[in-house]
């Protein structure tokens, strides 16, 4: 078995533990630094044209992957450096603890009956219009965001880390960040953000499916979760968020989707797990706990897949 594969497994586990203990740094977060750099590139390149948007995506995502590859190359001769780099990269790109903290803060405000505070905090978690939501609507938005971001902020990064090491970790987070910045359907970014949105759909595909599988396995209601995934995920406008949200809905026994509002625009989303009950504030904690279980299982799957690949290569060389 190659040392590099063991180093990845040790480093990824240490990084996920670091996220559990520390969460995201309040200042100097590498993802925030990447966002500032991507914003500077956008100010130079922006045109209302898909080609210029594709160039922006290539420069920013390609640059992030290149930095990760150079750092990996520099640390390849030292196991301690390799493990430390993987741990730091994993801690920087996953966001499960901060996701849970924000969700719980909103849940705490709702449990205390302070809907105004919950509305004030909701934009920290998702882009819904908080003023259009009552307490149950806020709770539903939080559960949906926890499900989607479990795939985007945790599982997808671990999958690409298993595939590509540190360059895979930082590359996935770069693509996901670019989609959040320019991948939405506004007049400004409909064309310019097209490449970022499509690349994010491709990069998020395996992580979303693994999220669905692990939610089925870890949610306590595997038949309902699998049924909701198979029946309802394809109805969602996002090919990846639909899988995560539908599987979480089935696993938690709740109904997600329906009417929502973004930037003053009302959308009618398909209902996910229609036989489930309405979301309540108590389901926020259940969703956070499910997200945590899915994240640790994803670490086991991704690290195990990397080690298994190394064993197969070793046997092939022996033959």
């Amino acid at each position: 078995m190659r040392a590099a594969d063991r180093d990845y497994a040790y480093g990824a586990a240490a990084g996920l533990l670091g996220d559990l203990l520390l969460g995201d740094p309040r200042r100097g977060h590498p993802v925030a630094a990447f966002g500032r750099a991507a914003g500077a590139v956008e100010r130079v390149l922006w045109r209302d044209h898909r080609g210029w948007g594709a160039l922006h995506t290539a420069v920013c995502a390609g640059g992030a992957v290149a930095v990760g590859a150079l750092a990996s190359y520099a640390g390849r001769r030292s196991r301690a450096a390799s493990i430390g780099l993987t741990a730091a990269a994993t801690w920087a790109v996953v966001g499960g603890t901060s996701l849970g903290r924000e969700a719980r803060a909103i849940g705490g405000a709702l449990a205390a009956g302070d809907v105004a505070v919950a509305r004030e905090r909701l934009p920290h978690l998702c882009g819904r219009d908080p003023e259009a939501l009552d307490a149950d609507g806020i709770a539903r938005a939080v559960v949906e965001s926890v499900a989607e971001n479990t795939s985007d902020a945790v599982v997808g990064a671990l999958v690409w880390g298993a595939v590509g090491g540190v360059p895979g970790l930082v590359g996935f987070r770069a693509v996901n960040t670019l989609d959040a910045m320019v991948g939405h359907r506004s007049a400004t970014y409909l064309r310019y953000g097209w490449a970022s949105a499509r690349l994010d759909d491709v990069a998020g595909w395996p992580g979303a499916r693994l999220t669905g599988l692990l939610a089925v396995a870890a949610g306590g209601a595997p038949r309902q979760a699998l049924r909701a995934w198979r029946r309802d995920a394809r109805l969602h406008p996002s090919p990846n968020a639909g899988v995560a949200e539908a599987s979480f809905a089935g696993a938690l026994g709740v109904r997600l989707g329906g009417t929502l509002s973004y930037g003053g625009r009302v959308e009618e989303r398909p209902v996910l797990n229609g036989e489930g009950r309405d979301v309540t504030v108590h389901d926020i904690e259940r969703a956070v706990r499910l997200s945590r279980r899915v994240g640790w299982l994803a670490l086991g799957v991704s690290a195990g897949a990397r080690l298994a690949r190394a064993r197969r290569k070793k046997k092939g060389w022996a033959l």
Side-chain angles (χ1 to χ4, degrees), residues 270-292:
V271 173
L272 308 176
N273 193 42
E275 64 269 28
R277 56 176 175 78
D278 290 337
V279 177
T280 68
V281 62
H282 303 292
D283 294 310
I284 293 177
E285 178 62 28
R286 297 177 62 227
V288 171
R289 290 180 180 178
L290 177 57
S291 174
R292 181 69 57 82

Side-chain angles (χ1 to χ4, degrees), residues 211-260:
T211 299
L213 287 172
L214 296 179
V216 169
R223 290 184 179 179
Q224 294 92 320
L226 184 60
R227 181 169 63 247
W229 173 6
R230 295 180 63 183
R231 183 190 61 205
D232 300 332
R234 60 187 175 82
L235 304 176
H236 197 283
S238 167
N240 297 325
V243 173
E245 292 182 22
S247 59
F248 265 62
L252 297 171
V254 299
R255 183 168 57 251
L256 300 179
T259 304
L260 51 84

Side-chain angles (χ1 to χ4, degrees), residues 68-234:
L70 288 172
S72 296
Y73 182 79
R76 74 192 188 285
R77 296 185 182 278
S78 167
R79 290 200 67 193
S82 178
I83 293 172
L85 177 63
T86 301
T90 302
W91 168 73
V93 304
V94 301
T97 294
S98 293
L99 173 66
R101 285 176 181 171
E102 288 293 340
R104 282 170 168 152
I106 297 170
L110 291 175
D114 199 338
V115 178
V117 170
R119 286 184 178 133
E120 183 179 342
R121 295 197 67 98
L122 186 63
H124 298 179
L125 196 62
C126 64
R128 305 285 175 85
D129 293 335
E131 298 304 321
L133 299 173
D134 60 9
D136 288 345
I138 293 172
R140 191 192 77 188
V142 171
V143 171
E144 289 172 353
S145 184
V146 168
E148 180 178 2
N149 283 292
T150 298
S151 176
D152 286 344
V154 182
V155 180
L158 293 172
V159 166
W160 282 102
V163 172
V166 170
L169 286 166
V170 299
F172 176 80
R173 175 54 60 225
V175 170
N176 193 246
T177 303
L178 288 172
D179 178 60
M181 293 177 67
V182 304
H184 37 87
R185 293 178 177 273
S186 67
T188 301
Y189 294 120
L190 183 61
R191 296 182 182 84
Y192 188 81
W194 177 86
S196 290
R198 298 291 78 74
L199 182 59
D200 183 68
D201 286 343
V202 173
W205 195 95
R209 274 73 195 165
L210 181 58
T211 299
L213 287 172
L214 296 179
V216 169
R223 290 184 179 179
Q224 294 92 320
L226 184 60
R227 181 169 63 247
W229 173 6
R230 295 180 63 183
R231 183 190 61 205
D232 300 332
R234 60 187 175 82

